[in-house]
Amino acid sequence: MAQMLIGGEWVGSRSGELTEVMNPATGEAVDTAPRATVEEAREAIDAAAEAFKVWSEWTGARRAEVLRQVAGLIHQNEKELANLLTREQGKPLREAVLEIRRFAHTMTYYAGLGKNIRGGYIPQIDEGKYGLIIKRPIGVCGAIVPWNFPVSLMGNKIGPALLAGNTMVIKPAETTPLTGLRVVGLFAEAGLPKGALNVVTGRGSVVGEEIVTNPKVRKIGFTGSTEVGRRVMASAASGIKRVTLELGGSDPMIVCDDADIERAAKAAAVGRFFNCGQACLAIKRLYLFDSIADDFIERLVVRTKKLRVGNGLAEGTIIGPLHTVTQCDEVEAQVQDALDRGARALVGGERLRGGDYDRGHYYAPTLLADVKEDARVATEEVFGPALPIFRVSSLDEAIEKANDSIFGLGSSIWTNDLSRATRAAERIEAGYTWINSAQIIYDELPFGGFKQSGLGKEHGIEALDYYSETKSVVISTNAG
Ligand code: NAD
């Protein structure tokens, strides 16, 4: 039975309530985790508030050393962590390894900023006075994390929050607490003071709500659906809490008539089907210039048919199961809606059944043509392996359609024409635009959505600002 980390101690479920963590590939239980009560969440928050008195006094360089040590420990434990991640989340082992490495990279990146927390200085702001702009940690920060990248998305919050001098209470998704707990345990080995990082497992409506509404929590870093993000923002409003929201997306990919079609088709297959399509930054709408559409689709169909779907631990698996049966039902309903309105499935379009598929939740990688623009797959976020394809006749038409969405997370344009590329980069309403690549994010670049895809930024030096208060100080040198 997995335990929670509260005030530096591993604790079980006091109420006796447990969540069974299931392997999405086989339907077998991997382990259990406590379903925490409001009281346990409060204890974790209190422990973080106590630890803040210690951790916030450490120098940036000393805090950075802890993050650096953690990165090393993550690498040492990579195999075991990746295996556990595949079993609780479902993703292929190869992708689980990438996610574990991404967490380590994020720690290394923020460790590198340890001596770069800086403010400003204004000389002679007034007669005999000068001004300073200083950065202070916010206090206890809550981190609420989803199940699709349970480790790396937790890292996006831990890195900047701890480096800036805050302490934390983390709530993993109920279905994926295990690897995160193992990772957080490594911080103690790296010398993090007790209580600076706490993990409380359980329900969003209990633990999550407490973290969002408890007055001792000053900031919420939330990653999840737009629907729950809206609720988190509303609840946080009563305490005027700082919030960073990383929410849903429906990323457009635009392929122009002068693009490298082969490279773009390969990127579309990876970008849509990585993590079984359960990525906020997945390519979710494809806009092809008319003149290259047939050629592009042919290549994409060939690539999609080759994708081997199965248990993430099995050799050769490229696509794992969907994470839960609810997730699978949702994708099935969205695709069916498109088919009912006249779309054609060029590949897939159905659940996978028979043999080992019947033990998990598997959906065939799916390409949809002739999709109506008001179909659910076009207007909603599709969190699974189905891609609607649209034809366009100009860049302006493509950008207009790309922007016709409540989401604005990522986007990509494929062209060798610099003026087209820059026009798209400036006009697509999204936090990221890739030109001739897609989906790969960098710790160095700020990441966060436009419109209903979110608020605030993670990654980059910018994330430190979202985990700091900016304060003005006036120093008077007039002795009299
Ligand atoms: P979700 O919104 O259902 O849950 C996210 C987290 O919020 C979970 O830990 C959940 O327990 C918690 N939660 C639920 N109700 C809560 C409440 N009332 N108060 C506080 N916390 C609560 O999302 P999900 O299904 O786990 O994840 C998928 C979604 O996350 C997709 O929409 C995806 O696009 C989005 N996502 C966004 C990003 C990004 O960086 N923009 C990254 C990954 C995933």
Side-chain angles (χ1 to χ4, degrees):
M1 185 179 84
Q3 296 185 311
M4 304 183 282
L5 185 62
I6 300 180
E9 307 298 329
W10 291 102
V11 296
S13 167
R14 215 175 292 144
S15 69
E17 276 202 63
L18 298 172
T19 302
E20 213 167 44
V21 179
M22 310 301 284
N23 182 335
T26 62
E28 289 161 359
V30 182
D31 203 344
T32 55
R35 216 173 246 178
T37 59
V38 167
E39 287 67 37
E40 285 160 327
R42 283 185 190 147
E43 283 170 28
I45 293 166
D46 288 345
E50 206 46 42
F52 181 73
K53 296 173 192 164
V54 178
W55 180 247
S56 61
E57 292 290 321
W58 284 30
T59 62
R62 197 171 163 207
R63 287 184 213 134
E65 192 46 38
V66 173
L67 299 187
R68 201 169 286 118
Q69 296 277 339
V70 167
L73 291 167
I74 295 280
H75 285 305
Q76 283 170 28
N77 290 278
E78 177 181 291
K79 264 196 182 150
E80 180 221 328
L81 293 170
N83 186 287
L84 183 58
L85 180 56
T86 290
R87 285 188 294 130
E88 72 171 331
Q89 203 282 335
K91 64 186 62 193
L93 194 56
R94 185 177 42 87
E95 293 184 17
V97 169
L98 292 179
E99 182 172 348
I100 299 299
R101 287 185 189 161
R102 169 140 279 286
F103 183 95
H105 188 274
T106 303
M107 295 309 117
T108 307
Y109 172 75
Y110 282 103
L113 295 179
K115 289 191 168 177
N116 282 300
I117 300 172
R118 21 173 91 178
Y121 161 67
I122 301 175
Q124 289 297 97
I125 199 165
D126 200 348
E127 208 54 40
K129 291 177 181 166
Y130 63 94
L132 294 179
I133 301 160
I134 66 169
K135 296 283 181 184
R136 297 294 305 153
I138 301 175
V140 177
C141 297
I144 299 175
V145 184
W147 49 261
N148 60 335
F149 293 96
V151 176
S152 58
L153 295 174
M154 185 176 77
N156 291 351
K157 294 160 182 54
I158 293 178
L162 285 187
L163 188 78
N166 304 285
T167 55
M168 302 183 81
V169 178
I170 298 170
K171 193 206 94 61
E174 208 175 354
T175 52
T176 53
L178 304 176
T179 320
L181 282 164
R182 281 279 297 116
V183 164
V184 165
L186 298 174
F187 281 80
E189 277 182 53
L192 187 78
K194 282 187 176 192
L197 258 190
N198 306 273
V199 182
V200 191
T201 54
R203 293 190 165 140
S205 56
V206 179
V207 178
E209 291 271 353
E210 179 58 27
I211 291 173
V212 175
T213 52
N214 189 302
K216 288 187 185 168
V217 178
R218 301 266 178 88
K219 191 229 152 101
I220 308 293
F222 174 84
T223 301
S225 60
T226 295
E227 190 189 341
V228 177
R230 227 175 257 130
R231 237 172 108 172
V232 166
M233 192 171 171
S235 302
S238 65
I240 319 287
K241 289 189 187 184
R242 283 87 185 106
V243 285
T244 303
L245 301 173
E246 299 291 353
L247 310 176
S250 181
D251 293 8
M253 172 180 184
I254 300 172
V255 186
C256 299
D257 49 9
D258 64 322
D260 180 335
I261 305 294
E262 186 54 28
R263 262 184 70 206
K266 184 177 176 194
V270 176
R272 173 64 279 199
F273 301 119
F274 189 82
N275 206 29
C276 197
Q278 302 164 119
C280 55
L281 278 172
I283 294 166
K284 297 188 182 126
R285 292 174 290 149
L286 181 56
Y287 295 99
L288 303 176
F289 271 44
D290 263 326
S291 59
I292 50 95
D294 290 338
D295 183 9
F296 187 99
I297 289 170
E298 213 170 284
R299 293 170 196 241
L300 185 56
V301 165
V302 170
R303 287 187 175 276
T304 306
K305 282 183 175 162
K306 282 188 192 157
L307 299 170
R308 193 186 299 174
V309 183
N311 186 327
L313 289 179
E315 190 85 20
T317 293
I318 303 292
I319 301 194
L322 281 147
H323 182 57
T324 58
V325 67
T326 319
Q327 218 29 62
C328 200
D329 290 346
E330 179 74 356
V331 175
E332 186 174 44
Q334 287 171 316
V335 171
Q336 194 54 51
D337 165 77
L339 296 173
D340 290 347
R341 292 173 190 226
R344 284 180 300 126
L346 303 173
V347 189
E350 58 191 0
R351 277 173 124 100
L352 293 171
R353 298 188 197 277
D356 285 348
Y357 288 143
D358 289 342
R359 301 166 66 207
H361 332 292
Y362 293 93
Y363 197 88
T366 296
L367 298 176
L368 296 167
D370 302 331
V371 178
K372 297 275 185 308
E373 273 160 25
D374 61 352
R376 290 183 61 194
V377 289
T379 59
E380 299 175 2
E381 177 178 42
V382 179
F383 223 52
L387 180 63
I389 303 172
F390 305 92
R391 291 169 187 249
V392 290
S393 51
S394 69
L395 182 60
D396 282 349
E397 183 190 352
I399 293 175
E400 194 179 323
K401 289 186 169 160
N403 285 342
D404 185 17
S405 168
I406 60 163
F407 300 111
L409 196 57
S411 57
S412 66
I413 170 139
W414 296 75
T415 178
N416 287 311
D417 178 334
L418 189 59
S419 64
R420 279 175 165 175
T422 47
R423 189 167 168 75
E426 285 169 4
R427 292 195 37 213
I428 295 177
E429 297 166 345
Y432 245 100
T433 296
W434 286 270
I435 298 166
N436 297 324
S437 72
Q439 215 193 22
I440 298 173
I441 49 173
Y442 298 91
D443 281 310
E444 294 79 358
L445 291 175
F447 164 65
F450 285 15
K451 301 192 277 186
Q452 294 187 35
S453 284
L455 189 72
K457 298 291 174 194
E458 291 191 333
H459 296 178
I461 297 178
E462 287 76 3
L464 289 176
D465 285 335
Y466 288 92
Y467 282 98
S468 308
E469 294 286 15
T470 300
K471 180 169 188 169
S472 294
V473 178
V474 177
I475 299 184
S476 174
T477 54
N478 288 341

